[in-house]
């Protein structure tokens, strides 16, 4: 399944399918981006990061794409598993203080 | 190695009271940040401390204060609690506060309920 729009709050996918979660940011000075996964009752868990001098970065089953022209970030999860069910946040920072600005999050539900 | 640890995990207070939340960063991490997460929203930055000095402050009233100790642990204090202060308070640590961007490692948070 693929999310559409910039702030879709929920996404449901079948187990084994690929998931795409999108995020928009507004400040062109943002230069470092992180995707976090947050499960119920837990703090955000680091998934993958990307700096503004890159447009793609891959991890284990995850890929982050950065389009600075339209200020858009996406997280692709391959072969989505039930354990991937969580809320996913994009976070960006733009200043030397390392203060992060978080999006509102997308709730991913994996259907077995 | 232990991750970021926060205490207590849950807390119930009444309006007007004061609360202190505690955080121990990952061993070797010198920077601690505090975030407030209201239900259904993303975390919002409150403070960042590095080497015991405040290095950043978000848009929160003066009722919120924090400090960092020589062992890099930190406390977040909130005075005159309001119902709207009910939230998950997250502590995050990173190694340094350099110009290079660094990922934050979060604890599980303290769930504060103000009645």
């Amino acid at each position: 399944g693929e999310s559409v729009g910039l702030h879709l709050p929920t996404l449901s996918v079948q187990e084994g399918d690929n998931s795409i979660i999108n995020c928009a940011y507004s400040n062109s000075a943002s230069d470092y981006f992180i995707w976090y996964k947050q499960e119920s009752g837990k703090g955000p868990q680091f998934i993958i990061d990307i700096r503004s001098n890159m447009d793609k970065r891959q991890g284990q089953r995850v890929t982050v794409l950065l389009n600075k022209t339209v200020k858009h970030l996406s997280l692709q999860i391959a072969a989505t598993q039930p354990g991937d069910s969580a809320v996913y946040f994009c976070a960006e920072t733009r200043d030397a203080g390392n203060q992060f600005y978080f999006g509102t999050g997308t709730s991913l539900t994996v259907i077995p | 190695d232990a991750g970021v640890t926060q205490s207590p995990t849950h807390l119930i207070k009444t309006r007007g009271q004061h609360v202190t939340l505690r955080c121990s960063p990952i061993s070797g991490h010198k920077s601690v940040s505090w975030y407030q997460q209201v239900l259904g929203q993303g975390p919002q930055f409150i403070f960042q401390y590095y080497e015991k000095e405040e290095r950043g402050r978000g848009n929160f009233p003066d009722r919120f204060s924090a400090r960092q100790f020589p062992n890099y642990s930190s406390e977040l204090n909130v005075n005159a609690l309001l119902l709207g202060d009910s939230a998950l308070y997250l502590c995050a640590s990173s190694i340094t506060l350099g110009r290079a961007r660094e990922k934050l490692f979060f604890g599980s948070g303290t769930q504060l309920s103000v009645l």
Side-chain angles (χ1 to χ4, degrees):
Chain A
E2 177 178 351
S3 66
V4 295
L6 299 177
H7 297 290
L8 187 70
T10 62
L11 176 65
S12 295
V13 298
Q14 292 287 338
E15 181 179 358
D17 285 354
N18 297 331
S19 302
I20 299 176
I21 301 172
N22 295 304
C23 177
Y25 63 97
S26 58
N27 197 310
S28 58
S30 299
D31 59 5
Y32 179 50
F33 306 84
I34 298 180
W35 279 100
Y36 283 96
K37 170 186 179 183
Q38 188 173 26
E39 297 173 283
S40 180
K42 297 183 179 180
Q45 176 187 359
F46 172 87
I47 301 174
I48 191 168
D49 59 355
I50 188 168
R51 299 184 189 277
S52 59
N53 60 352
M54 304 172 67
D55 53 20
K56 180 179 180 179
R57 190 159 190 230
Q58 290 183 295
Q60 186 177 10
R61 284 200 306 118
V62 294
T63 300
V64 56
L65 299 178
L66 175 62
N67 185 330
K68 294 181 289 293
T69 302
V70 295
K71 301 188 187 68
H72 184 265
L73 195 68
S74 69
L75 175 70
Q76 302 178 5
I77 304 173
T80 313
Q81 303 169 359
D84 295 327
S85 293
V87 177
Y88 290 80
F89 292 98
C90 63
E92 46 93 3
T93 189
R94 61 189 80 135
D95 53 44
N98 217 43
Q99 170 184 340
F100 280 84
Y101 300 85
F102 283 76
T104 53
T106 297
S107 177
L108 174 66
T109 300
V110 181
I111 304 167
Chain B
D1 285 341
V4 177
T5 57
Q6 293 187 244
S7 63
T9 55
H10 295 83
L11 204 52
I12 299 175
K13 292 285 188 178
T14 57
R15 282 177 296 175
Q17 284 189 312
H18 162 270
V19 68
T20 298
L21 310 181
R22 295 178 174 83
C23 171
S24 293
I26 293 172
S27 177
H29 285 198
K30 298 182 178 180
S31 180
V32 169
S33 300
W34 288 94
Y35 285 77
Q36 180 196 63
Q37 186 175 22
V38 175
L39 188 64
Q41 298 183 16
Q44 186 174 0
F45 174 75
I46 310 176
F47 286 111
Q48 182 172 36
Y49 276 78
Y50 176 67
E51 294 284 9
K52 297 180 291 180
E53 291 188 6
E54 181 182 304
R55 297 301 184 99
R57 183 187 182 109
N59 187 24
F60 280 81
D62 291 343
R63 299 185 296 109
F64 288 76
S65 64
R67 55 180 176 168
Q68 186 178 33
F69 299 98
N71 66 352
Y72 304 112
S73 67
S74 178
E75 285 183 353
L76 175 69
N77 296 283
V78 186
N79 292 322
L81 284 167
L82 303 174
L83 295 179
D85 295 330
S86 295
L88 180 67
Y89 287 85
L90 295 163
C91 175
S93 74
S94 58
I95 296 174
T96 67
L97 186 61
R99 295 194 62 82
R101 299 290 180 250
E102 298 176 9
K103 60 180 72 76
L104 298 180
F105 295 88
F106 284 89
S108 293
T110 295
Q111 184 65 55
L112 173 64
S113 299
V114 182
L115 305 179

